[in-house]
Each structure stands twice: as structure tokens, then as C-alpha cells.
Amino acid sequence: MSALAVLLAALALGACAATEGGDVDGPVTVYVSLPLTGPRAPQGRDTADGARLAFDQASGEAGTLEVEARFVDDAKGAAWDPVAVGANARSAAQDSSAVAYIGELDSEPTRASVPITNDAGIVQISPSAGAVDLTRSVEAVSDSPDRYQPSGTPTFARIVPADDVVAAAAAAWGSELGGAEVVVDFGEGRPAAKHAVAAELDPDRLPDRRFIGLFHDSFDREPGPYAAYGYEAMAFALQAIGAANTNSDQFRTEVRDGVIGGERRESVLGPYSITDEGDSTVCMVQRYLVRGALRHPLDAPCPPS
């Protein structure tokens, strides 16, 4: 074997030791794939900076492990780019140090990346992808959610309430208003109705409003609604990494198990957990009055069960 081949083999073994097969020395890597360019860049930037804040507060560590965060653009100037999404997910899947993947912002790109990360056994946490078929069977989407789980095991979790929870909240408010139209705001522009709901809480309605000051101190601007969900996605990933057994030969699986079925007892969103299917138990849905170009946040109740 040539000297170059020996060197490459040694490097490969060293990288594999970061995630599977005996003691995990680190650094391990969390990928963050979000729209950093294009029309969704403002929301993507807020989400990414929320994740950075959680990472910085942890000083880039989880338990005894050093953690690296790799932020990548999944949009390339569009709302999302399928080539970029695929490349980001494959980069994580092929990186033996990767133990968690945060992304994507919306449901459609998430449908493209989840099968890749799932096949690699990497837990994927979306801050805001609410499509029900990502976690549960939906008649209109054949083979859901199995089509996103080639490994046979769920590895996807979301921080926001799923779309059916948000739809129920819109219907409940519409009923309270005597049948008035209530639309769902997906963060893509001003809603066309006077009453709207959104899955992401307005920062002023967060259970822990200290987040607003922490974010402002770090980035010299006010957070948008997506920032807290990026923060929680990273905080949950770091919590799971820190709790995983570094002597385990199934480290990625242990990190996955710390998220799927795991809980956050203290968070900026209040206490919540992730179900075995990958859904968040966060049920608060933000109500808005829309007046011209302005949205006025109201309360954020859970829909009736």
C-alpha cells in the first residue's frame, strides 16, 4: 500500500470514530440547511441566527464533546433549490462526524432531504416544516410517512405544531368570530384576510420573552418569529448529543433517540416533547389581526382538542 493510501485510510478511520464504533472523541458536526439567499432569506437568516445563539450559548460543546456547526444555503437565490437541498443532505450523510441535521425551513424541501438523512441514520430537526405527511399517514400522499423513512425508523422531528393543528386553530378562531375568514400565514407575505394564524409565535408572545433581549444583544436586531424555532432546533440537538453515550457504537442512534421521544423541560417555547412519530407537542398557534401592511399579534391559544 502506498504512503498516500495509508494516510487516507488513517484519516477515514479517524473520522469514523467521531460517530460510530467505540469511543467518540469529537468534534462532531451539526449541519444547518436553510434558505440564506432568495425570497425566504429573511426567515432563513432569523432561523440560522437563532441556531447560532443556542450554539454560542453552549460554547460549541455538548456534554464532553466539542461540536461544530456547519451552516449551508439550501436556496441558491430561489425559495429552495432541489440540487442544493440534495447536496446538503448528502454532505451530511457522507460526513462520518455528522450527528444531526437542522432543516429545512419549509415542508417541500424537507420532503427531499429527509429520505437521505434517514437512510444515514441522522436525526433531522426542522424548525418549521409542518406538513402532516412527514410524520403521519395522509391519504393524499401515498406511502406516507414510509417514503421518508427508508431505514424503517423515524428520524425526523419538527419544532412547530403540524399543519393539521394550525388548521384546527384557524377553524376554531373562525368559529369564535362567527364564521369570519381566518387564513394560515406561512411567512411568505402579508395574508390576504383580516384574520390570520401562524405556527410560529410572535416573539412578544413567547413563554420566555428573555429570548428577545438575548437575540438582540447577539445580532443587534429584533428576532422574527422563526428565530426561536431555530434556537430550539439547535438546543434540542445539543441536548441529545450531550446525553448520548460517547462509548456507544451506535452514537447517531443514541442522538436520534434523544430527540425522537425526547423532551425539553425548559425552553423558550415552554416545556414540550417530541412524539415517537416526530411531532412536537407545542400546540400554541399565533393569532394576528392584519391591517394593511401590518400584522398585530394577539393571543396564541392551543386549538380545542
Side-chain angles (χ1 to χ4, degrees), residues 4-102:
L4 177 59
V6 171
L7 176 59
L8 291 175
L11 289 173
L13 286 172
C16 288
T19 56
E20 304 286 359
D23 294 343
V24 179
D25 297 324
V28 297
T29 305
V30 176
Y31 279 71
V32 184
S33 176
L34 294 166
L36 304 179
T37 58
R40 294 288 274 159
Q43 294 84 5
R45 179 190 178 200
D46 262 359
T47 310
D49 283 346
R52 284 190 181 92
L53 178 58
F55 185 81
D56 290 345
Q57 285 182 332
S59 301
E61 296 178 347
T64 61
L65 288 175
E66 179 186 353
V67 182
E68 294 180 349
R70 182 178 177 188
F71 291 81
V72 289
D73 180 26
D74 71 3
K76 304 303 181 186
W80 70 281
D81 180 79
V83 175
V85 169
N88 294 348
R90 284 190 295 273
S91 292
Q94 295 165 5
D95 182 349
S96 57
S97 75
V99 293
Y101 183 99
I102 294 172

Side-chain angles (χ1 to χ4, degrees), residues 145-242:
D146 294 345
R147 60 165 57 192
Y148 311 118
Q149 301 171 8
S151 73
T153 302
T155 56
F156 170 76
R158 60 171 133 246
I159 304 300
V160 293
D163 286 350
D164 57 346
V165 177
V166 181
W173 193 21
S175 179
E176 290 177 26
L177 294 169
E181 181 186 17
V182 177
V183 301
V184 176
D185 177 7
F186 291 105
E188 298 171 341
R190 182 175 61 83
K194 294 182 178 179
H195 303 91
V197 297
E200 298 80 19
L201 296 179
D202 186 273
D204 284 332
R205 303 293 170 167
L206 289 171
D208 188 349
R209 294 186 67 256
R210 291 176 298 177
F211 175 78
I212 299 173
L214 292 171
F215 188 95
H216 185 276
D217 289 346
S218 293
F219 305 107
D220 198 27
R221 73 177 196 279
E222 300 298 313
Y226 286 77
Y229 296 83
Y231 179 95
E232 277 303 307
M234 178 62 78
F236 217 142
L238 294 175
Q239 175 181 290
I241 294 167

